[in-house]
Amino acid sequence: MTEYTPKERLSRALTGQSVDRMPAVCVTQTGTVEQMEACGAFWPEANSDAEKMAILAEAGHTVVGFEAVRVPFDITAEAEFFGCDIKDGTMEQQPSVVGHVVKTVEDIEKLKGYDLSEGRISVVCDATRILADKYGDELPIMGSMIGPFSLAQHINGDEWFMAIFTDEAFAFALMEFTTEFSIAYAQKMVENGADTMVIIDPTASYQLIGAEFYEKFVVPFHKKIIDAMHEVNVPVVLHICGDTTQGLALMESCGVDAISVDQNVDAAAAVANVEKAVIVGNLDPVNMLWNQTPEKIREQSQKVIDAGVGLLAPGCGTVSKTATMNLQAMIEVAKSHKY
């Protein structure tokens, strides 16, 4: 069988084509303290400085061994871009959204006319360009963004969950706005060299909002983003936290290429619940990758592969204190697996 470059291998794996072996990638955040110490680029600065962001993303490849580079490391840049209050992160902890800016349709109107060359959105795109210029011929360049449902929740606050039940006009208006932004942002990342897109939509959970509301407020909006990416031949991975087992068929209905499942999902059940989508996951980032030995990680990695996943990866974002040797144990098993 042909031996592929990492870039070719991941693209083929995500689009259902034959490959020589499993790609060794992480579709969720990759930054760790050990990588920061090795490359000299640290959080929180690496969240807001393009050069440092690119250096730390590169360390996922040069220090750990992932066969891709990925930015950014957190999911607050989009909310910050629209004026939400952000609690600063630290070297070990990511920033979080603590203030919101939209209560009415009129508030949504005030956010329109944004400029994607400003704020941390621009920083992420600049980091993408730096990485693409250096690695784009060989490695996958993963762009990542928060999904439109979770962005709506960041912008509106916890009232968002009541809004989808009680005020459909407002809810649809906000989803249209966040989706339009998500498409524009994804396209800008692609223009800067991203060749794979990851949508992280943690609160768009079938388990949290149920089938009716997922089908109404999530599927059509994810489909718009995915269609826009497919128009430029960019495969899309969707990650939603929690036990998504019962919602996988609905998640797949948006046309996504791959679905990243977290540790609460039985990997074999996930594979059985989709028709075409590649299942990505799902080593527990806390109880396994952070807190176990390389030997245990290799053992569990093989079990996950035996369950039928298409890509072995963490079930959620990598814990910042995870040891490099633990991640390398997972990578070793992935690279040894022949399809």
Side-chain angles (χ1 to χ4, degrees):
M1 183 177 282
T2 304
E3 184 175 336
Y4 298 99
T5 67
K7 189 183 189 78
E8 293 169 334
R9 186 179 293 116
L10 181 62
S11 176
R12 292 178 67 88
L14 289 175
T15 53
Q17 301 177 68
S18 61
V19 291
D20 50 342
R21 63 164 173 83
M22 181 176 284
V25 300
C26 177
V27 302
T28 50
Q29 98 76 21
T30 60
T32 64
V33 173
E34 285 191 8
Q35 290 176 62
M36 296 175 205
E37 291 171 344
C39 72
F42 295 83
W43 291 346
E45 293 82 12
N47 289 323
S48 56
D49 179 290
E51 290 282 352
K52 292 178 180 178
M53 184 182 292
I55 289 169
L56 182 54
E58 179 184 34
H61 172 63
T62 58
V63 175
V64 177
F66 287 122
E67 298 178 306
V69 288
R70 180 197 183 282
V71 290
F73 309 104
D74 72 307
I75 54 171
T76 67
E78 299 88 346
E80 182 180 307
F81 179 76
F82 288 115
C84 293
D85 292 331
I86 306 296
K87 180 182 178 182
D88 291 338
T90 67
M91 187 176 76
E92 296 179 354
Q93 189 171 22
Q94 296 178 340
S96 57
V97 178
V98 294
H100 316 287
V101 293
V102 164
K103 289 186 177 297
T104 66
V105 172
E106 290 72 27
D107 292 335
I108 299 171
E109 291 297 318
K110 294 174 185 176
L111 297 180
K112 294 181 178 180
Y114 47 80
D115 183 351
L116 292 175
S117 67
E118 298 177 349
R120 273 208 291 144
I121 295 303
S122 178
V123 169
V124 174
C125 291
D126 289 345
T128 303
R129 170 51 57 195
I130 293 168
L131 292 165
D133 286 347
K134 187 168 185 177
Y135 290 108
D137 291 337
E138 179 187 0
L139 294 180
I141 310 297
M142 290 188 182
S144 177
M145 62 183 180
I146 195 169
F149 189 89
S150 298
L151 179 55
Q153 190 268 323
H154 274 178
I155 291 174
N156 185 225
D158 289 340
E159 296 173 9
W160 173 239
F161 297 106
M162 184 60 68
I164 65 171
F165 284 87
T166 63
D167 193 347
E168 282 198 354
F170 169 77
F172 278 121
L174 188 50
M175 283 302 302
E176 290 287 356
F177 173 76
T178 57
T179 302
E180 177 188 277
F181 163 78
S182 296
I183 292 170
Y185 182 22
Q187 289 172 333
K188 187 172 176 66
M189 280 190 273
V190 171
E191 289 168 7
N192 280 276
D195 54 54
T196 308
M197 192 58 56
V198 182
I199 301 172
I200 308 288
D201 215 347
T203 58
S205 168
Y206 173 97
Q207 189 179 29
L208 186 63
I209 64 175
E212 177 186 350
F213 288 96
Y214 189 92
E215 189 166 15
K216 184 184 294 185
F217 288 106
V218 181
V219 172
F221 301 100
H222 282 172
K223 186 177 187 304
K224 288 183 179 182
I225 302 169
I226 291 158
D227 285 350
M229 290 294 94
H230 285 172
E231 285 180 7
V232 290
N233 298 313
V234 172
V236 182
V237 182
L238 173 62
H239 177 84
I240 295 178
C241 300
D243 186 354
T244 54
T245 307
Q246 298 303 313
L248 284 166
L250 265 179
M251 292 170 67
E252 186 180 24
S253 70
C254 66
V256 73
D257 300 283
I259 298 173
S260 168
V261 295
D262 90 358
Q263 60 276 8
N264 292 299
V265 176
D266 178 82
V271 173
N273 274 278
V274 297
E275 292 184 7
K276 294 182 179 179
V278 174
I279 295 298
V280 182
N282 66 339
L283 287 183
D284 191 320
V286 176
N287 296 319
M288 183 56 58
L289 287 170
W290 178 22
N291 285 321
Q292 286 292 348
T293 63
E295 181 181 4
K296 288 284 188 182
I297 292 165
R298 281 190 286 269
E299 183 181 306
Q300 184 61 28
S301 293
Q302 190 59 54
K303 288 181 180 178
V304 172
I305 287 178
D306 290 344
V309 301
L311 292 174
L312 177 67
C316 199
T318 306
V319 178
S320 63
K321 292 184 178 180
T322 303
T324 295
M325 64 180 182
N326 286 4
L327 294 172
Q328 289 172 336
M330 177 184 68
I331 288 169
E332 175 188 325
V333 177
K335 291 174 72 173
S336 68
H337 180 65
K338 310 288 185 181
Y339 288 111

